[in-house]
Amino acid sequence: MNLRLHFSLSGIMRVVFLDTKTLGNIPNLHVLEKYGQVTYYETTLPWQTQTRIKDADIVITNKVVIDEAALNGAPDLKLICIAATGTNNVDKTAAAKRGIPVKNAVDYSTRSVTQGTFALLLHLLVNIPYYDQYVKIGEYAKTDIFTHFGPGFWELADKRFGIIGLGHIGRQVAKIADVFGCEVVYYSTSGQNNQQSYKRLELDEFLGTCDIISIHAPLNENTANFINYDRLSRMKKSAILINVGRGGIVNEADLAKALDEDLIAGAGIDVYSQEPILPDNPLLHVKNKARLALTPHVTWASIESRTLLMEKVAQNIDAFLQDCVQRVMG
């Protein structure tokens, strides 16, 4: 092991990035080349994984699954870097048996997701597409007054802004909501999150009094299918739901039904139970499409966020190699 490690550290470390397309065109992708020989694949299908990593020292993946069979076929593998926060696409138990660290990246998309949250919210609240179209089709040029009220909209100031998931992103969203003049409250799905500077509500009050509910939680046993028809029906009819957390938190069929039945005013959704979205997803067939803003899991993906993600992958490799050198030296 030490001889093989020393050989790799001498300049011919073999690095494989399995799905570069998930990071897009970022300026620092090729930072990996300082570690040695790098092979880039835009995408990798399940049947290709084992062949592509069989000679690798370091593997980088965003969404490509690395299971026990793939690990067993890669005898030289020393490190797995996940270009994302979630680690469920890697068999960590099998990696641990081999002594292969699995390193993910955290807190790279906070500002981007926060910005995307309010982009979705303001899109729904102010209805810019409607007013934009009103001017462009010539209707504004025909009016006899200087303005046009249309469907109308309300201000965020003095509204109750409810957050589910007060991690890095949720807290940043709360800060921006504060700036807009909102009353920020939260609900803890675990029942254990009490150390916050915002008011914690029990579920009935949270659902029944919030003007906006914004989801920033992970998908787990407490949050799976959390927003369902029953809970949507307990929300204010004027409420707006935002989900930039995980798709499985909101029951998509129930949300579509709730929108069609006017149970809530609107929803902004960036994440889905299956991605990319399936053609028969009920959200694609909501009757009043103006009530629904859909984006393709993109709120995380500002240029700055993706660049920082690549930096964090490189930092994980640097830390691993430094640890290896220290162990070899001593």
Side-chain angles (χ1 to χ4, degrees), residues 121-128 130-131 147-156 159 238 240:
L121 175 58
L122 293 171
H123 169 99
L124 290 162
L125 180 60
V126 185
N127 202 350
I128 291 295
Y130 167 82
Y131 291 107
T147 189
H148 171 69
F149 300 116
F153 57 90
W154 41 266
E155 298 177 1
L156 283 174
K159 300 304 185 294
S238 58
I240 292 175

Side-chain angles (χ1 to χ4, degrees), residues 140-306:
Y140 182 42
K142 301 174 185 176
T143 187
D144 58 351
I145 61 172
F146 74 96
T147 189
H148 171 69
F149 300 116
F153 57 90
W154 41 266
E155 298 177 1
L156 283 174
D158 300 323
K159 300 304 185 294
R160 176 167 277 186
F161 196 114
I163 296 177
I164 299 173
L166 270 175
H168 290 295
I169 295 170
R171 290 195 298 272
Q172 188 66 18
V173 168
K175 289 179 183 178
I176 304 302
D178 269 336
V179 173
F180 272 108
C182 297
E183 177 200 6
V184 177
V185 297
Y186 76 100
Y187 175 73
S188 171
T189 58
S190 69
Q192 300 174 350
N193 187 0
N194 299 307
Q195 307 304 315
Q196 301 292 343
S197 56
Y198 303 101
K199 183 178 181 180
R200 174 182 161 183
L201 300 181
E202 295 303 319
L203 185 57
D204 282 344
E205 184 179 4
F206 181 85
L207 293 172
T209 65
C210 285
D211 298 290
I212 302 103
I213 293 179
S214 193
I215 300 172
H216 306 280
L219 181 62
N220 55 37
E221 65 277 8
N222 295 318
T223 62
N225 206 43
F226 184 77
I227 299 296
N228 55 28
Y229 186 81
D230 172 65
R231 288 169 178 165
L232 287 161
S233 67
R234 289 148 66 184
M235 291 170 60
K236 297 174 71 171
K237 287 187 177 297
S238 58
I240 292 175
L241 174 71
I242 304 293
N243 185 18
V244 295
R246 288 291 181 265
I249 297 174
V250 175
N251 184 302
E252 292 156 343
D254 287 357
L255 175 57
K257 183 179 180 183
L259 289 168
D260 284 341
E261 294 178 356
D262 299 332
L263 295 186
I264 62 172
I269 306 295
D270 184 55
V271 288
Y272 307 91
S273 57
Q274 184 163 335
E275 297 174 345
I277 195 169
L278 296 175
D280 62 352
N281 188 301
L283 296 178
L284 295 179
H285 305 283
V286 168
K287 295 173 186 175
N288 187 347
K289 297 188 184 303
R291 289 185 165 211
L292 186 60
L294 302 177
T295 51
H297 200 152
V298 74
T299 58
W300 73 276
S302 67
I303 296 293
E304 292 87 349
S305 174
R306 288 180 284 139

Side-chain angles (χ1 to χ4, degrees), residues 32-93:
L32 298 172
E33 291 166 15
K34 69 180 181 179
Y35 302 113
Q37 177 185 337
V38 184
T39 304
Y40 302 96
Y41 297 102
E42 283 198 348
T43 59
T44 296
L45 297 172
W47 60 269
Q48 297 173 316
T49 304
Q50 189 164 354
T51 299
R52 290 182 172 182
I53 73 170
K54 64 183 179 65
D55 297 319
D57 295 295
I58 297 174
V59 168
I60 302 165
T61 175
N62 184 322
K63 294 293 185 287
V64 176
V65 172
I66 301 179
D67 58 18
E68 185 172 13
L71 288 168
N72 290 340
D76 295 332
L77 188 58
K78 302 169 183 65
L79 174 67
I80 299 170
C81 286
I82 301 177
T85 300
T87 61
N88 60 312
N89 57 319
V90 174
D91 188 332
K92 294 185 289 295
T93 301

